[in-house]
Amino acid sequence: MPSPIKTLFLVMDMMNDLVAEDGFSAQTYAVQVKERGVLEKTRAAIAAARAAGALVGYVRVGFSADYREAPANSPIFSGARKNGIFQLGTRGTEIHPALAPQPGDFDIVKHRVSPFYATSLEAILRAHRIERIVMSGVSTNGVVHSGAREAHDRDYDAVILEDCCAGVSADEHMHALACLGRYARIVSSTEFDWAA
């Protein structure tokens, strides 16, 4: 068994509502996820992380059935209420089956874009003395962008697995990455050394 390293791999918002081919976002995010091979690459990255002894956490956006946590004035989350998506306890907020969590993985539920805001993430990071946060997910300009900036400002070594991320479009993804290089290392999942 490899010795534990102080790394947490965050697989973010890879939920059926966003990335499943039959999910709510089948014509947007799911298209990019399929074209870029994000599910397959993320599955391989999760396996590599586990083999190196890194911890794995799944970040999911979700709300109660009455959307009590959703801000009415949010351009993003008012749409969730209107379209009946991101309801906790439904298939839509489950992690895509290709990336199924294992016992011992962290389930981090958020009610905003950021994986840090009002979630269990900070407590997990402190309890396990994490030094490096590796990130992937959908969308690149949403949760990944927000997570990288906040990880940077909390003095973590932030890493983004570029080929394990997607936006609504290829342009959106690339524009987000153009900004993120200031806050995180951007690498390919096949080139990243989990044990380093």
Side-chain angles (χ1 to χ4, degrees):
M1 179 85 176
S3 60
I5 57 174
K6 297 179 180 179
T7 297
L8 175 64
F9 181 25
L10 290 181
V11 179
M12 302 189 288
D13 287 350
M14 296 299 287
M15 315 177 315
N16 290 317
D17 271 344
L18 289 171
V19 302
E21 289 189 48
D22 62 348
F24 178 80
S25 300
Q27 301 304 312
T28 54
Y29 292 113
V31 172
Q32 287 296 306
V33 165
K34 184 175 183 179
E35 286 182 4
R36 303 192 77 237
V38 170
L39 289 173
E40 296 81 5
K41 292 170 185 172
T42 303
R43 183 171 54 226
I46 292 169
R50 292 188 199 287
L55 299 175
V56 178
Y58 292 84
V59 175
R60 302 181 297 137
V61 62
F63 302 101
S64 302
D66 62 1
Y67 292 93
R68 66 185 69 189
E69 305 90 355
N73 62 346
S74 166
I76 298 173
F77 299 125
S78 58
R81 182 192 312 262
K82 175 183 170 188
N83 293 301
I85 59 171
F86 302 160
Q87 286 189 4
L88 292 170
T90 67
R91 177 183 176 272
T93 56
E94 292 174 4
I95 299 298
H96 190 285
L99 309 176
Q102 293 184 3
D105 291 341
F106 297 103
D107 179 31
I108 301 158
V109 175
K110 66 189 179 83
H111 308 302
R112 299 295 186 272
V113 176
S114 169
F116 284 89
Y117 180 76
T119 72
S120 60
L121 180 54
E122 292 248 29
I124 291 166
L125 294 168
R126 291 183 187 192
H128 295 275
R129 302 178 194 270
I130 297 298
E131 296 175 0
R132 178 173 64 185
I133 303 173
V134 180
M135 289 168 265
S136 69
V138 169
S139 69
T140 316
N141 72 325
V143 66
V144 176
H145 207 287
S146 180
R149 284 173 177 262
E150 293 204 43
H152 168 273
D153 284 355
R154 288 166 169 79
D155 303 327
Y156 291 99
D157 177 16
V159 179
I160 296 168
L161 302 183
E162 181 276 330
D163 55 336
C164 297
C165 299
V168 163
S169 67
D171 282 349
E172 183 181 275
H173 171 74
M174 293 310 297
H175 286 303
L177 289 177
C179 299
L180 286 171
R182 298 181 66 189
Y183 306 100
R185 287 187 287 146
I186 300 173
V187 299
S188 165
S189 62
T190 57
E191 296 172 357
F192 183 63
D193 184 356
W194 289 94

